[in-house]
Amino acid sequence: MVKPTKAERKTTYDGKLCKMLDIYSQILVVAADNVGSNQLQNIRKGLRGDSVVLMGKNTMMKRSIRAHADKTGNNAILNLVPLLVGNVGLIFTKGDLKEVSEEVAKYKVGAPARVGLVAPIDVIVPPGNTGLDPSQTSFFQVLNIPTKINKGTVEIITPVELIKKGDKVGSSESALLSKLGIRPFSYGLIVHSVYDNGSVFSPDVLQLTEDDLVEKFATGLSMVTSLSVALAYPTLAAAPHMFVNAYKNVLAIALETDFSFRQAEQVKEYLKDPSKFAAAAAPVAAAGGGPAEVAKEEKKKEEVEESAEESDDEPMMNIFGD
C-alpha cells in the first residue's frame, strides 16, 4: 500500500474539515493537554452518533477554515480562528451542547505528578500510615511533613498541602507521591469555548438554568428601571413607576388646594372623615379569618356577655335600693 504524501494528507484533512463545517453548526473547542491516544479513542467511542472529534495542527485548521469562509461566504465561521491556540481540537455535534460537554467530562484518567508539570489542583497528603519503612523518613523531612514511627512504619500525623495549584511539581514531591501510590491529577478533554451558529461563548453558559436566566433578567430589568426613573426617560419598564410618582405629585397638590379630580375625591373624603377607614376595613377583617381576627371576635363576644350580665344585675340593685 502506497503511503500518501504530505500534500495528499493536507488535502484529505482540508476536505474532511470543510465537510464537517458544512454539516455541523455547533462546535466545542476543547483543550487536549496530557490526553493519550487510548483515552482519546474512548472519547470518540463515547460520543459516536451525533458527535465527531477532529484533531489536527492549528495552522492546518485555520487555513481550512479561512478557505471555507472564502468559498462559501460564511464569515461567521471565522470566529473559530482566534480560539485555535495551544493543543486544541474540535468536537462537531448535532446534540445538546450541555449533554455533550458533560459526556466529554466523564472521560478523565488519573495521572501521576510528574516532575515539571503545573499542578491543576491543590495536592494534599492525608494523615495515616504510609506503609513505608523508617529509612524513607528523609523524603518527609525534606518536605517538612510531620511523621512518627508506628509499628515499624512511617505514619503521617497531620494532613499536609504538598503542592499548590499553579505550582510546578518538584522531584521530591513527585517521588513521595509515587512511593505513596497517589495519582493526584486527572486529565481529559476540557471544553474551552462553544461555537453555535456563528456565536462564541463560554462553556459556563451551558450550566445556566431557567431560574438563573429569570434572576439575571430581573436584575437587568431593575437596573433599566432605576436608570430610566433617575433620568426621567420613559421606558416600558419604568412607565408604571412614573405613573405612580406622577399620581402622588398631583394628589399632593389636590390635597393642598381646591383642585380635585376623580382619583383624589375618595382620598379627600377619607381625610375629612377618618371613620370611613374603619367602615372600609370592617369587611376585610370579617373576611380574613386569621388567628388575630378570631381573637378579636372572641374578645367582642366576651364584652357583649359582660355588658349583658351587668344589665341583668341593675334591676336587683334597684329593688334592694327601694
Side-chain angles (χ1 to χ4, degrees), residues 127-132 146-150 153-157:
N129 198 308
T130 63
L132 301 176
T147 60
K148 67 177 181 179
I149 307 300
N150 185 15
T153 57
V154 179
E155 180 178 338
I156 299 176
I157 301 174

Side-chain angles (χ1 to χ4, degrees), residues 14-76:
D14 180 74
K16 185 177 181 180
L17 178 55
C18 291
K19 182 180 179 180
M20 294 294 178
L21 293 174
D22 288 332
I23 297 174
Y24 297 91
S25 60
Q26 298 181 141
I27 305 172
L28 299 178
V29 181
V30 294
D33 294 331
N34 303 300
V35 178
S37 57
N38 291 334
Q39 184 180 359
L40 186 59
Q41 187 65 22
N42 292 331
I43 296 173
R44 293 181 191 273
K45 291 180 180 179
L47 296 176
R48 186 171 297 168
D50 293 334
S51 304
V52 178
V53 180
L54 183 64
M55 308 298 293
K57 292 184 178 180
N58 293 346
T59 52
M60 292 180 61
M61 289 192 286
K62 290 179 180 179
R63 183 179 64 82
S64 297
I65 291 172
R66 291 192 179 101
H68 184 269
D70 293 338
K71 182 179 179 180
T72 61
N74 182 16
N75 293 325

Side-chain angles (χ1 to χ4, degrees), residues 274-289:
S275 62
K276 291 187 177 181
F277 282 105
V284 178

Side-chain angles (χ1 to χ4, degrees), residues 2-21:
V2 180
K3 185 177 180 180
T5 63
K6 186 176 181 181
E8 291 175 341
R9 291 198 301 269
K10 287 184 177 180
T11 302
T12 303
Y13 183 87
D14 180 74
K16 185 177 181 180
L17 178 55
C18 291
K19 182 180 179 180
M20 294 294 178
L21 293 174

Side-chain angles (χ1 to χ4, degrees), residues 292-311:
E293 287 76 11
V294 173
K296 290 180 180 179
E297 292 294 331
E298 292 179 351
K299 186 175 181 180
K300 288 181 179 179
K301 290 180 180 179
E302 291 177 0
E303 292 176 354
V304 171
E305 292 175 356
E306 290 177 0
S307 61
E309 291 176 0
E310 290 177 358
S311 62

Side-chain angles (χ1 to χ4, degrees), residues 14 41 46 71 85 92-93 120 130 147 169 174-175 181 185 229 233 260 274:
D14 180 74
Q41 187 65 22
K71 182 179 179 180
V85 178
F92 298 86
T93 182
T130 63
T147 60
V169 180
S174 177
F185 305 146
V229 172
Y233 183 81
S260 183

